[in-house]
Amino acid sequence: RKPRTGLATIAALALFFVFATNAAWSDSTDLPRNGGRVTDEARIISPGVVSELQKLLSTHEKKYSNLVFVVTLTSLRGNDIKTAAHELGRYWNIGFGTGSRNVFFIISPTERQVRIHVGKELQTPLSDAIAARIIADTIVPHFRDGRFEQGILDGARMVVSTLENQGATDELDPGSILFLSLA
């Protein structure tokens, strides 16, 4: 009779790696603390632009109750950017599930990755397709030219503008209503 240590060893190692990966992210010393609307761990945003972003995001929050965060990371710590967004949200106690009106605009210049991570409640006006278009058309061209601050600022403006204009194309203006009633 042969012992079945091979299968047990593989299972134990797999379990170890799952817990080790989660432990790396759950270690509070490894993740940046919540710096408010703008957390610049990668230190690529000047104080003036941080101030401008904070004003933009604060004004939007007061008017629409959406929380938009701009986060730069020095590293994704071995994870993909989507996992980084989830883990950072969990660490900061910011949800993205049902009823959440939160957006993470995350930039990791080291890995050259950008993500606009959107809470469930805002996925209609700011769908994955629209977020991808903002990244490709607005943010990435600036980043390619080495203008990170401009890409971040314009990207944040586009996110806010998209959220503020939600449903605007579905509504009729008063002139259209008058035209339809005359017809």
Side-chain angles (χ1 to χ4, degrees):
R1 181 173 174 206
K2 290 184 178 180
R4 295 185 182 189
T5 57
L7 187 57
T9 303
I10 292 170
L13 284 172
L15 212 54
F16 171 78
F17 285 116
V18 167
F19 286 119
T21 302
N22 287 338
W25 271 103
S26 63
D27 180 10
S28 62
T29 60
D30 192 36
L31 293 170
R33 293 180 187 253
N34 185 343
R37 293 174 186 89
V38 181
T39 301
D40 184 24
E41 182 189 46
R43 298 180 189 257
I44 59 172
I45 310 173
S46 67
V49 172
V50 167
S51 179
E52 193 172 343
L53 286 165
Q54 288 172 335
K55 183 178 178 186
L56 170 74
L57 302 178
S58 173
T59 301
H60 174 75
E61 179 184 345
K62 287 175 186 166
K63 193 171 181 182
Y64 294 93
S65 300
N66 302 325
L67 295 174
V68 180
F69 299 90
V70 174
V71 182
T72 70
L73 298 173
T74 55
S75 162
L76 296 176
R77 293 141 172 101
N79 292 292
D80 62 76
I81 198 159
K82 185 174 182 178
T83 302
H86 280 290
E87 293 301 325
L88 195 58
R90 185 176 300 132
Y91 177 61
W92 287 2
N93 200 29
I94 296 169
F96 290 97
T98 304
S100 72
R101 301 178 65 82
N102 305 318
V103 177
F104 269 0
F105 173 17
I106 298 183
I107 303 100
S108 178
T110 306
E111 286 93 352
R112 299 175 62 168
Q113 292 196 30
V114 178
R115 178 170 177 79
I116 298 172
H117 195 74
V118 183
K120 293 267 188 224
E121 192 71 21
L122 299 176
Q123 288 179 353
T124 298
L126 191 54
S127 66
D128 287 343
I130 292 171
R133 199 167 350 144
I134 291 171
I135 291 169
D137 296 347
T138 303
I139 301 165
V140 170
H142 289 300
F143 283 11
R144 280 192 188 126
D145 292 338
R147 295 176 291 143
F148 287 101
E149 285 187 317
Q150 194 61 53
I152 291 168
L153 192 55
D154 287 354
R157 287 176 179 148
M158 286 297 295
V159 166
V160 166
S161 174
T162 300
L163 292 172
E164 290 180 359
N165 292 319
Q166 64 182 344
T169 56
D170 298 330
E171 298 175 11
L172 293 174
D173 64 292
S176 299
I177 294 170
L178 178 62
F179 175 77
L180 288 174
S181 65
L182 290 174

